């Protein structure tokens, strides 16, 4: 069941479509894939010293590339009309008129800054089965897929963690977006049938098994424009900093809230008088524990246990961190009541965007129908849905 993408593009067609557009031989065309991602659990704690637990999923963006004899660069996309033309010797700068080409030029600008030399230009044709605006990081898939393609085609041999950092630096320095590194990291380093427990501060990571069996993640998009997320994000961040400062000033020897275990938190929480700050800090401590518990559950293929953790995460994001809103609550709480659903929660910044649900593969159709009906009745318009499994990180096809 898929109400987020209108049509599937078969990547096997990409070399032929490339040659139709640019001429030449199919055998000269290099093709790369780059996945979308979900964050299974671990929300709003990366900036509090906590863990995230993302997985790459089997929705891919494809980049076909061929070197040219001159210094020209040409970008095209199968679905989006319009050609962008540059020169490899250009001094790349952000320009709104360049649309998606900015993500590619941002990577080139970072590579050139790091001293990588291009002996010639190249032409690109892209195609995507990643729903844009589906809350599963289509822009990071674009950045990392392109960075990996260019690194491979030009023999730069940049390792996967560096590819992730390139994507993040491009966002910071070129796009002007101060993003974290989770999206780029899982897209670069992910492997099928695994999720990654990642410490965003140190980039220490551990693979955990994700053998989905009869279960699928269903991504549910509220289709709501997020206007509040940025301002509330900054507000939550400063509330957490205040809570941390109070604890530190009262002799608690920690550098981040998520260093506390739940039992340590319960001993120390009375040091904070402000009820709001207590709730914010509580979410951080318990959500970090839920990430650890989720990893252990998956090592035992305990999907029931994972589902309960998803539900607990949503409840905490709603009641303690207060970043959900009626759209995400309606999706997640309706999902939790459906036959064949083990758990559901909001994912991402909140106030719109997406939720995920863990659903039995034989119940997906009835699940989507029932949740869509209730959501439309309460909210007044429909949500978007698609089911997914785990996928591989960036790769050459």
């Amino acid at each position: 069941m898929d109400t987020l993408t209108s049509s599937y593009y078969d990547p096997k067609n990409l070399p032929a479509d490339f040659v139709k557009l640019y001429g030449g031989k199919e055998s000269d065309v290099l093709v790369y894939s780059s996945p979308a991602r979900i964050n299974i659990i671990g929300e709003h704690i990366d900036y509090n010293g906590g863990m995230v637990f993302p997985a790459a999923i089997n929705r891919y963006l494809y980049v076909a590339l061929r070197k040219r004899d001159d210094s020209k660069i040409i970008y095209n996309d199968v679905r989006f009309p319009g050609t962008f033309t540059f020169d490899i010797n250009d001094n790349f700068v952000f320009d709104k008129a360049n649309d998606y080409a900015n993500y590619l030029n941002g990577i080139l600008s970072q590579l050139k800054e790091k001293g990588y030399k291009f002996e010639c230009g190249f032409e690109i044709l892209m195609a995507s089965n990643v729903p844009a605006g589906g809350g599963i990081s289509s822009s990071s898939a674009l950045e990392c897929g392109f960075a990996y393609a260019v690194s491979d085609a030009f023999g730069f041999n940049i390792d996967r963690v560096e590819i992730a950092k390139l994507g993040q630096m491009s966002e910071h320095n070129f796009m002007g977006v101060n993003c974290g590194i989770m999206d780029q990291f899982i897209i670069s380093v992910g492997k099928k049938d695994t999720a990654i427990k990642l410490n965003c501060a140190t980039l220490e990571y551990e693979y955990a098994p994700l053998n989905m069996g009869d279960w699928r993640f269903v991504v549910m998009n509220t289709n709501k424009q997020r206007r509040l997320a940025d301002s509330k994000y900054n507000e939550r961040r400063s509330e957490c900093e205040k809570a941390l400062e109070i604890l530190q000033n009262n002799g608690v020897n920690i550098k981040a809230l998520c260093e506390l275990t739940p039992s340590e938190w319960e001993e120390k929480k009375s040091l904070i008088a402000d009820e709001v700050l207590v709730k914010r800090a509580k979410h951080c401590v318990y959500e970090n524990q839920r990430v650890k518990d989720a990893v252990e559950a998956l090592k035992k293929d305990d999907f029931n246990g994972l589902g309960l953790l998803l539900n607990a995460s949503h409840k905490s994001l709603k009641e303690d961190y207060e970043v959900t809103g009626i759209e995400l609550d309606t999706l997640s709480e309706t999902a939790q009541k459906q036959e064949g659903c083990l758990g559901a929660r909001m994912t991402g910044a909140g106030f719109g965007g997406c939720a995920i649900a863990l659903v039995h593969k034989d119940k997906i159709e009835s699940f989507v129908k029932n949740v869509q009906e209730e959501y439309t009745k309460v909210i007044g318009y429909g949500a978007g849905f698609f089911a997914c499994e785990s996928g591989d990180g960036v790769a050459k096809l």
Side-chain angles (χ1 to χ4, degrees), residues 65 67 70-71 73 87-89 92 104 107-113 115-122 146-147 149-151 153-156 158:
L65 179 151
K67 289 182 180 178
D70 56 19
S71 58
I73 298 172
D87 190 286
I88 194 62
N89 302 311
F92 296 105
L104 312 183
I107 294 292
L108 293 179
S109 76
Q110 297 308 298
L111 284 168
K112 287 169 83 168
E113 210 161 279
Y116 289 101
K117 301 268 190 285
F118 292 82
E119 79 271 9
C120 63
F122 52 88
F146 178 70
V150 167
S151 166
F154 284 88
F156 297 155
I158 303 169

Side-chain angles (χ1 to χ4, degrees), residues 198-209:
L198 170 67
N199 179 325
C200 292
T202 64
L203 296 192
E204 285 174 61
Y205 66 100
E206 171 195 339
Y207 288 101

Side-chain angles (χ1 to χ4, degrees), residues 37-103:
R37 65 95 190 106
I38 55 171
N39 186 28
I40 297 171
I41 202 163
E43 218 61 75
H44 278 286
I45 56 171
D46 55 333
Y47 51 88
N48 288 300
M51 308 281 185
V52 289
F53 193 42
I57 61 173
N58 61 341
R59 285 299 180 108
Y60 297 96
L61 173 138
Y62 301 96
V63 179
L65 179 151
R66 184 176 64 195
K67 289 182 180 178
R68 289 177 61 89
D69 297 334
D70 56 19
S71 58
K72 209 170 171 184
I73 298 172
I74 308 175
Y75 301 142
N76 274 288
D77 187 286
V78 167
R79 291 214 173 104
F80 296 104
T83 300
F84 293 96
T85 308
F86 304 93
D87 190 286
I88 194 62
N89 302 311
D90 287 347
N91 184 20
F92 296 105
V93 289
F94 179 86
D95 181 347
K96 205 168 174 209
N98 289 336
D99 196 33
Y100 71 79
N102 282 306
Y103 291 105

Side-chain angles (χ1 to χ4, degrees), residues 22-318:
Y22 294 116
K25 300 199 298 286
E26 284 185 33
S27 55
D28 294 336
V29 180
L30 304 170
V31 181
Y32 303 87
S33 62
S34 183
R37 65 95 190 106
I38 55 171
N39 186 28
I40 297 171
I41 202 163
E43 218 61 75
H44 278 286
I45 56 171
D46 55 333
Y47 51 88
N48 288 300
M51 308 281 185
V52 289
F53 193 42
I57 61 173
N58 61 341
R59 285 299 180 108
Y60 297 96
L61 173 138
Y62 301 96
V63 179
L65 179 151
R66 184 176 64 195
K67 289 182 180 178
R68 289 177 61 89
D69 297 334
D70 56 19
S71 58
K72 209 170 171 184
I73 298 172
I74 308 175
Y75 301 142
N76 274 288
D77 187 286
V78 167
R79 291 214 173 104
F80 296 104
T83 300
F84 293 96
T85 308
F86 304 93
D87 190 286
I88 194 62
N89 302 311
D90 287 347
N91 184 20
F92 296 105
V93 289
F94 179 86
D95 181 347
K96 205 168 174 209
N98 289 336
D99 196 33
Y100 71 79
N102 282 306
Y103 291 105
L104 312 183
N105 289 346
I107 294 292
L108 293 179
S109 76
Q110 297 308 298
L111 284 168
K112 287 169 83 168
E113 210 161 279
K114 284 181 174 290
Y116 289 101
K117 301 268 190 285
F118 292 82
E119 79 271 9
C120 63
F122 52 88
E123 45 216 11
I124 293 276
L125 181 63
M126 296 187 306
S128 180
N129 291 320
V130 177
I136 53 173
S137 239
S138 50
S139 57
S140 297
L142 180 56
E143 290 160 345
C144 296
F146 178 70
Y148 187 81
V150 167
S151 166
D152 178 76
F154 284 88
F156 297 155
N157 300 320
I158 303 169
D159 79 51
R160 288 171 178 272
V161 173
E162 285 305 311
I163 293 278
K165 289 180 185 170
L166 266 175
Q168 186 191 34
M169 294 318 293
S170 172
E171 290 276 359
H172 288 190
N173 301 336
F174 193 87
M175 304 297 289
V177 177
N178 192 23
C179 66
I181 199 166
M182 176 183 80
D183 296 350
Q184 292 88 350
F185 198 92
I186 187 62
I187 286 165
S188 300
V189 181
K191 289 180 188 168
K192 190 171 165 48
D193 300 326
T194 68
I196 287 180
K197 183 176 82 169
L198 170 67
N199 179 325
C200 292
T202 64
L203 296 192
E204 285 174 61
Y205 66 100
E206 171 195 339
Y207 288 101
L210 187 60
N211 306 308
M212 296 297 289
D214 289 337
W215 301 97
R216 300 291 179 267
F217 283 109
V218 176
V219 177
M220 310 181 285
N221 188 352
T222 60
N223 288 332
K224 181 198 178 187
Q225 291 300 307
R226 279 187 297 198
R227 292 190 192 88
L228 272 170
D230 289 346
S231 61
K232 291 290 183 186
Y233 172 87
N234 293 333
E235 194 179 289
R236 293 296 174 275
R237 208 167 170 147
S238 75
E239 286 166 343
C240 292
E241 282 160 10
K242 275 181 207 150
L244 175 63
E245 198 182 331
I246 292 165
L247 292 171
Q248 289 169 331
N249 291 342
N250 281 281
V252 182
N253 185 20
I254 52 170
K255 289 194 178 73
L257 288 173
C258 289
E259 287 174 29
L260 293 172
T261 63
S263 58
E264 288 166 343
W265 161 251
E266 293 301 335
E267 276 169 34
K268 310 287 185 200
K269 68 181 182 185
S270 59
L271 296 168
I272 304 173
D274 184 326
E275 268 310 301
V276 171
L277 299 186
V278 170
K279 290 202 297 185
R280 303 298 186 251
K282 178 190 169 193
H283 166 76
C284 298
V285 172
Y286 278 86
E287 183 78 350
N288 197 50
Q289 184 61 46
R290 282 188 283 272
V291 173
K292 295 174 187 173
D293 294 345
V295 173
E296 293 311 308
L298 283 171
K299 284 177 181 171
K300 295 182 270 200
D301 288 336
D302 176 11
F303 286 99
N304 285 308
L306 179 62
L308 293 172
L309 291 165
L310 297 183
N311 291 347
S313 173
H314 187 84
K315 187 172 192 284
S316 177
L317 287 156
K318 178 185 178 179

